[in-house]
Amino acid sequence: MWVTELRCEAGHRFEGFFPSRESFEQQRQQGLVSCPTCGSDHVEAALNAPRLNLGAAAPQPATASAPADVPPPSLRELVARLKAGSEDQGRGFAKEARAIHEGRARQRPIHGQASGEEFLSLIEDGIAVLPLPAESELDPTH
């Protein structure tokens, strides 16, 4: 997962979530990435350090007083934290995400499965979703 700060030609800054940098470039070239403030599709990645956005449970950045021998959490641990703090919707994820976005369901963090078509439809409709890697993708032997 590639999370980065983006900037449009008018200088508006916003975060973007993409499966990879290459995926961002492909979507940008197709005009699928636009500024949520002004709608411009002239968007570039701002220079910054990519990170996973974990909301309130996000680990704080290392400081000079932080122990140097404490390793950062693994991707498996980060995904587990995200799932532990959200409600599993299974295959009903896309429907529930849309209901939350439209105010027909209670606002809360959820996770589940969505097809590629469902995921793109949510994104196109301005619904903030983040694809998580499958369990098989978290296995370091693959």
Side-chain angles (χ1 to χ4, degrees):
M1 178 57 47
W2 189 63
V3 179
T4 191
E5 185 172 327
L6 302 172
R7 184 179 54 223
C8 76
E9 64 186 346
H12 301 122
R13 290 180 170 265
F14 55 100
E15 278 190 331
F17 300 81
F18 303 91
S20 65
R21 170 108 187 169
E22 293 77 21
S23 176
F24 160 72
E25 290 297 338
Q26 290 173 347
Q27 290 181 42
R28 186 174 67 88
Q29 289 171 3
Q30 294 173 359
L32 299 175
V33 180
S34 62
C35 175
T37 303
C38 68
S40 171
D41 63 356
H42 296 282
V43 174
E44 294 184 10
L47 293 178
N48 67 355
R51 65 180 173 85
L52 278 176
N53 188 1
L54 300 176
Q60 296 301 310
T63 64
S65 62
D69 60 345
V70 176
S74 69
L75 181 57
R76 181 180 296 282
E77 291 168 328
L78 292 173
V79 169
R81 287 183 196 175
L82 287 171
K83 287 184 174 181
S86 63
E87 190 177 295
D88 189 357
Q89 297 297 308
R91 284 263 167 226
F93 172 79
K95 182 179 178 181
E96 190 65 11
R98 189 171 300 285
I100 291 170
H101 178 76
E102 293 171 353
R104 295 182 288 110
R106 178 177 52 88
Q107 183 81 23
R108 66 202 185 281
I110 62 171
H111 70 273
Q113 295 88 42
S115 69
E117 185 176 300
E118 289 171 324
F119 181 79
L120 286 176
S121 177
L122 292 170
I123 294 290
E124 288 169 353
D125 292 343
I127 301 171
V129 293
L130 173 68
L132 297 176
E135 282 294 318
S136 61
E137 296 172 316
L138 296 174
D139 186 349
T141 61
H142 285 93

